[in-house]
Amino acid sequence: MQLALASDDEEKEKVPHILFVTPYYPPEITPPAMRIHEMALRLVRLGHQVTVLTTFPNFPSGVVPLAYRGHRQLREQKDGITIVRVWSYISPNRGFLRRILAQLSFGCVAPFLGGSAVGQPDVIIVESPPLFNAIAGRLLASWKRCPFIFTVADLWPEVAVKMGMLRNRLLIRLAEWLEWTTYQRAALVWVVTEGLRAILLQRGLAASHIFVVTNGVDCTTFCPSVKALARAELAWDNRFTVLYAGSHGPSHGLGAIIDTAERLHACKDIRIILVGDGAEKEALMADAQRRGLSNITFLDPQPYERIPLLLAASDACLATASKAILFQGVLPVKMYEAMACARPIILAVDGEACRVAIQEAGAAIYAEPENPAAIADAILYLHEHPFEAEVLGQRGRAFVEQHFDRNQLVKKLHQQIMTVLHRNDTTPYHEWLADSAPFQLPETEPLSSACGSRDRGSAI
């Protein structure tokens, strides 16, 4: 796209400048952190200038590494990406109020502490959740006079309401207002699953306003490896090993895995390994210890580059989620990584994940979410049918290479970015902004349910 004219009347191409706004970024290894980092790397290779506005690494412990302490703002250059880190209030990923304050802090202070350092972007990509990132994105878009793309990886405040963490009706109303007006003010809304797209369409957001680019996996880094060599490096024995690598939070239904381990305790040739951290990890560990379960092991969070080794050493991988209907559109990142490493999946997730991993890929077997008996049966089946487990793994590898390789996904994102840049290049900023939804205070009539009702086309 020609964005500037040279003085000699020859067209000269300007390198588009993309700004990501997110509180999660490596060395943190959360799914949003890795998605943004992997996409940013590939956008640089495609010729974009990329800046990331974030805070200091702290998730999920709330502890900032020594190298990052004592700074109000820190500018880094890594892998061709400019990283601007700013101070914000930080807390461990435990306790809803403190986490909300931490998220609100970043959304409110990041534009002021990092606005000058990020330069002049052509388009801003705002990560959500946390929903409060929308505040930072909207302020920066206004100050920099550029459009923004709003990324939706989960629906907030619905998640908090469904999980029983947010009950105050006024706060729910305000959060819904921020959510919906941000959808409307964004140049485009980027969703990571078809299920999320369907929900937003049902609520009245125009199809032309939404695009889907899923999470994915680096199929070079995550690839099939020899199990025996991986186990030797990790000093693991030859028991049938089921691996869960990810967050230990309330939305993942991991309490059922403790019950599953108890059901399988008599099977001395089977063990479950849970890798990661989160709000429920301490309680899960205490529960397993109280029951005397020797067939379940908890490991600390591992460096991202070590995850392929853990997957290679496993016999099967767990992907789990809460039963809450809100998670029908979830596609866990761990699912892609397991498939890329040719490992069969025990899928305790409903909805879109079943369609992708079972119906389309043929790479998983289903177990009802939070049903220990069903999960135990699935583990036993794979343990007793190694050939079928091998076939599931090979199918998964072939499927992600074709559909979820990040090198392919970034091309889709690149096309959407160029669409926004072209639109902004031909439409004056004030006209584009005028076409967006006006900033209005939320209406005050009572909610009809815990989440609040929302008719098609409503702008709450």
Side-chain angles (χ1 to χ4, degrees):
M1 185 181 84
Q2 304 300 326
L3 298 175
L5 294 176
S7 58
D8 59 358
D9 293 331
E10 292 183 356
E11 290 187 334
K12 185 177 181 181
E13 188 173 7
K14 174 187 173 184
V15 175
H17 182 189
I18 314 303
L19 171 64
F20 285 91
V21 177
T22 172
Y24 306 122
Y25 197 72
E28 296 174 350
I29 57 171
T30 63
M34 297 315 303
R35 169 167 39 82
I36 293 166
H37 176 63
E38 293 287 340
M39 286 300 195
L41 281 175
R42 287 162 175 79
L43 287 171
V44 168
R45 294 170 192 163
L46 288 175
H48 294 279
Q49 177 187 350
V50 178
T51 301
V52 177
L53 177 60
T54 185
T55 189
F56 298 106
N58 69 90
F59 187 89
S61 66
V63 177
V64 177
L66 286 173
Y68 290 99
R69 295 181 191 175
H71 298 279
R72 183 170 174 266
Q73 181 198 104
L74 184 64
R75 187 182 178 94
E76 302 173 293
Q77 197 77 27
K78 188 173 182 180
D79 300 322
I81 303 166
T82 300
I83 307 162
V84 177
R85 299 186 184 272
V86 296
W87 175 92
S88 67
Y89 172 72
I90 286 170
S91 79
N93 188 34
R94 297 176 179 87
F96 181 71
L97 180 59
R98 292 184 65 186
R99 287 164 54 204
I100 288 295
L101 288 175
Q103 294 169 4
L104 181 61
S105 170
F106 176 79
C108 292
V109 307
F112 298 96
L113 296 183
S116 297
V118 299
Q120 179 57 54
D122 295 297
V123 64
I124 300 171
I125 300 179
V126 184
E127 178 67 20
S128 175
L131 176 61
F132 298 120
N133 291 348
I135 299 172
R138 288 166 69 158
L139 285 172
L140 285 166
S142 178
W143 295 344
K144 303 294 183 178
R145 301 185 67 79
C146 69
F148 72 94
I149 295 171
F150 191 57
T151 309
V152 181
D154 247 337
L155 294 172
W156 280 73
E158 285 89 337
V159 169
V161 175
K162 287 281 186 179
M163 300 304 298
M165 296 182 290
L166 180 60
R167 299 183 178 89
N168 184 284
R169 296 166 73 83
L170 177 59
L171 292 180
I172 293 170
R173 175 71 74 185
L174 290 170
E176 288 182 327
W177 166 76
L178 176 62
E179 174 198 23
W180 191 248
T181 57
T182 301
Y183 293 158
Q184 294 180 308
R185 281 177 171 259
L188 287 174
V189 175
W190 168 12
V191 296
V192 299
T193 72
E194 290 289 348
L196 289 170
R197 180 178 183 273
I199 290 171
L200 295 186
L201 287 174
Q202 186 179 22
R203 292 181 179 178
L205 207 59
S208 60
H209 202 63
I210 311 168
F211 70 92
V212 180
V213 175
T214 66
N215 281 310
V217 63
D218 183 336
C219 288
T220 302
T221 302
F222 289 82
C223 59
S225 300
V226 179
K227 185 192 305 178
L229 295 177
R231 289 194 172 185
E233 185 172 342
L234 293 168
W236 286 7
D237 59 36
N238 289 324
R239 282 178 290 173
F240 186 87
T241 301
V242 180
L243 177 73
Y244 173 89
S247 178
H248 295 39
S251 65
H252 296 91
L254 293 181
I257 305 306
I258 306 300
D259 296 333
T260 300
E262 188 168 44
R263 284 177 172 270
L264 296 173
H265 199 237
C267 302
K268 301 304 180 183
D269 193 35
I270 298 175
R271 69 170 171 183
I272 300 171
I273 295 180
L274 303 183
V275 182
D277 203 352
E280 294 198 338
K281 182 167 184 175
E282 289 183 7
L284 292 167
M285 293 176 65
D287 191 18
Q289 184 175 18
R290 178 182 60 79
R291 302 191 200 191
L293 300 178
S294 58
N295 61 339
I296 186 165
T297 301
F298 292 86
L299 298 182
D300 291 336
Q302 302 292 305
Y304 188 67
E305 58 270 16
R306 196 168 173 81
I307 301 300
L309 178 67
L310 295 170
L311 290 167
S314 67
D315 292 285
C317 297
L318 274 169
T320 66
S322 164
K323 286 182 179 178
I325 193 170
L326 186 64
F327 299 97
Q328 297 286 316
V330 162
L331 287 173
V333 173
K334 61 182 70 66
M335 187 175 79
Y336 306 126
E337 295 172 348
M339 286 194 286
C341 291
R343 291 297 178 261
I345 300 167
I346 297 162
L347 187 68
V349 184
D350 281 327
E352 189 170 350
C354 288
R355 175 181 61 79
V356 172
I358 298 175
Q359 298 174 17
E360 296 180 4
I365 59 174
Y366 175 75
E368 183 185 6
E370 298 185 278
N371 184 332
I375 297 170
D377 286 345
I379 292 172
L380 287 169
Y381 181 85
L382 291 179
H383 175 248
E384 295 166 3
H385 298 84
F387 176 76
E388 292 188 33
E390 177 72 16
V391 170
L392 292 173
Q394 294 301 325
R395 288 176 183 163
R397 173 65 189 183
F399 188 76
V400 294
E401 282 184 311
Q402 184 175 358
H403 299 284
F404 294 105
D405 189 331
R406 289 198 194 275
N407 290 329
Q408 300 300 320
L409 296 173
V410 75
K411 295 176 183 178
K412 297 180 181 179
L413 178 59
H414 168 77
Q415 291 172 353
Q416 299 296 335
I417 289 171
M418 299 310 290
T419 297
V420 170
L421 289 174
H422 176 72
R423 182 193 306 168
N424 199 50
D425 196 40
T426 57
T427 303
Y429 179 83
H430 67 275
E431 292 183 14
W432 168 81
L433 185 61
D435 289 338
S436 307
F439 232 89
Q440 297 177 353
L441 290 174
E443 298 179 8
T444 56
E445 64 267 14
L447 299 173
S448 62
S449 67
C451 289
S453 62
R454 186 182 283 139
D455 297 330
R456 270 185 83 84
S458 171
I460 294 175

